[in-house]
Amino acid sequence: MAAIDETAVRARIGAFRTAEGAGIPAGMVDSVATREGLVQVALMVAKADAARQEPMRRALEADLAAMPGVRNATVMFTAPRAATPQPQAQAQEPGTLLGQVGSIVAVASGKGGVGKSTVAVNLAVALARQGKRVGLLDADIYGPSLPRMLGTKGKPEMAGNKLVPIEAWGLKAISIGHVVEEETAMVWRGPMVLNALTQLMTQVAWPELDVMVLDLPPGTGDVQLTLAQRLKLAGAVIVSTPQDISLLDARRGISMFRQVRVPILGVVENMSFFCCPNCGTRTDIFGHGGAEAEAGRLGVPFLGAVPLLAPIRETSDAGTPIVASAPESEAGRAFAAVATAVAAGLDGAGPARGPRIVIE
């Protein structure tokens, strides 16, 4: 397979013509990234023109995908760079996005590898099993895992100029992984990631929902702060393992949400303990009870402990969340208990408060 580079992609874009004969001005191309046959292009398009330009975007994406050496091509719109916002723009009231959602819950972790996405998926499915209308949005642009964990394949359908959320296990769900190939690396700068995330909120035909679960990327970076500023988050669920290093990062996550005035719905202790399936001996591989003790010390609710069990991993890899495929199992009951605690927290949380960014 012939190698593909940025110069060749830009030349192809320059030669591209729509069915009406229109080209793409060089100034419209915000960025081009190529890596191992994967191509990502961002075009600067004003929000008001995005719907009109959608046929062009699709045609260019297909044209680039046909280039020799290209395994997958993705073309996305990004807003034109604006002048430095005035102070009043920074104070814009949140809540203009996903206004049709009753409660938006962020599932977060201070570090990766603690099973945050597994908790988010099973929490969402458990809430749906309780009779709620639930949406699940994968906000981890660099590491989308929901398509695999939900067992969904193929790209979403379109309704006008909007994507239709994927339906699975009683949920309405969307992920960047639903619109790009599974092995595609998101080699994007921060602004492109934030733009893609905004598109998943504004260019998806989300119906009225009781709860929207956001699976956040790990850490306390741009995505977390942007969502806290632009959404009325009903609360955050912090996922941690019992070990000290994970709890240290969980404290940072709690501190961040408190600074932006997002209520902490509670802490989940994932991989809490392991029981040998043969002899029944219990082993606290990562320690035990650390998250519950930390929740008490910080004055936030403890939502429950989820054991380290092979069926959780197996059902996640198979795209059959254990809350749905084995609800009466030990793991299924543990996730259901977490969902019950989260629902109780939402019922007693009252209206979500707008964020106030505090810099110390």
Side-chain angles (χ1 to χ4, degrees):
M1 180 178 289
I4 189 74
D5 60 18
E6 179 179 340
T7 301
V9 173
R10 287 186 179 273
R12 183 82 167 206
I13 296 172
F16 172 80
R17 294 294 182 272
T18 65
E20 294 76 24
I24 297 177
M28 189 178 179
V29 181
D30 182 49
S31 66
V32 174
T34 63
R35 181 178 179 182
E36 298 178 355
L38 306 176
V39 175
Q40 285 108 27
V41 175
L43 302 178
M44 291 190 291
V45 174
K47 183 177 180 181
D49 293 334
R52 182 175 60 83
Q53 298 279 22
E54 178 62 18
M56 176 273 290
R57 185 197 68 78
R58 292 189 201 174
L60 176 60
E61 193 171 74
D63 187 66
L64 295 177
M67 291 181 66
V70 174
R71 293 193 292 120
N72 179 264
T74 302
V75 177
M76 297 191 74
F77 291 151
T78 185
R81 295 184 180 90
T84 302
Q86 298 301 313
Q88 60 267 29
Q90 297 178 355
Q92 181 181 4
E93 191 67 22
T96 57
L97 299 181
L98 299 178
Q100 71 275 41
V101 178
S103 298
I104 303 175
V105 176
V107 179
S109 64
K111 67 187 297 293
V114 299
K116 169 189 52 61
S117 292
T118 301
V119 171
V121 169
N122 282 282
L123 169 62
V125 175
L127 288 170
R129 286 176 59 83
Q130 294 177 4
K132 299 183 184 298
R133 298 170 299 174
V134 181
L136 179 60
L137 194 159
D138 189 351
D140 192 348
I141 302 298
Y142 288 124
S145 57
L146 294 196
R148 173 64 65 91
M149 299 181 77
L150 292 175
T152 54
K153 296 181 180 180
K155 294 188 177 182
E157 297 179 354
M158 297 291 295
N161 65 339
K162 289 191 174 185
L163 293 173
V164 177
I166 299 290
E167 294 190 28
W169 308 107
L171 308 176
K172 306 286 188 181
I174 204 71
S175 166
I176 194 70
H178 285 129
V179 296
V180 300
E181 297 298 326
E182 187 175 51
E183 296 181 0
T184 299
M186 297 293 100
V187 191
W188 292 349
R189 300 193 307 266
M192 294 176 65
V193 171
L194 296 177
N195 179 68
L197 183 57
T198 300
Q199 287 184 296
L200 293 182
M201 293 185 286
T202 61
Q203 295 183 19
V204 174
W206 292 109
E208 289 190 2
L209 299 168
D210 297 315
V211 181
M212 168 76 78
V213 176
L214 299 180
D215 181 18
L216 299 184
T220 56
D222 286 348
V223 169
Q224 290 83 351
L225 289 174
T226 297
L227 290 175
Q229 289 177 301
R230 302 197 66 185
L231 298 176
K232 284 190 176 181
L233 296 177
V237 172
I238 307 298
V239 181
S240 177
T241 63
Q243 67 185 114
D244 289 345
I245 191 65
S246 179
L247 292 170
L248 177 64
D249 291 310
R251 292 181 202 124
R252 296 189 181 105
I254 291 173
S255 175
M256 180 203 69
F257 282 113
R258 280 178 165 170
Q259 286 188 54
V260 296
R261 300 185 66 204
V262 172
I264 304 298
L265 294 174
V267 177
V268 176
E269 182 172 279
N270 197 27
M271 309 181 198
S272 183
F273 58 88
F274 171 75
C275 286
C276 175
N278 297 317
C279 65
T281 301
R282 171 169 166 160
T283 303
D284 296 333
I285 296 177
F286 300 108
H288 178 70
E292 183 173 10
E294 189 66 19
R297 189 183 74 82
L298 295 174
V300 300
F302 179 65
L303 299 174
V306 178
L308 178 61
L309 296 172
I312 297 178
R313 189 270 305 167
E314 292 166 354
T315 55
S316 295
D317 288 347
T320 56
I322 198 162
V323 166
S325 58
E328 298 305 317
S329 65
E330 182 179 9
R333 293 195 304 271
F335 282 121
V338 170
T340 298
V342 169
L346 292 174
D347 290 340
R353 295 171 290 176
R356 180 189 64 188
I357 305 298
V358 178
I359 301 177
E360 298 179 347

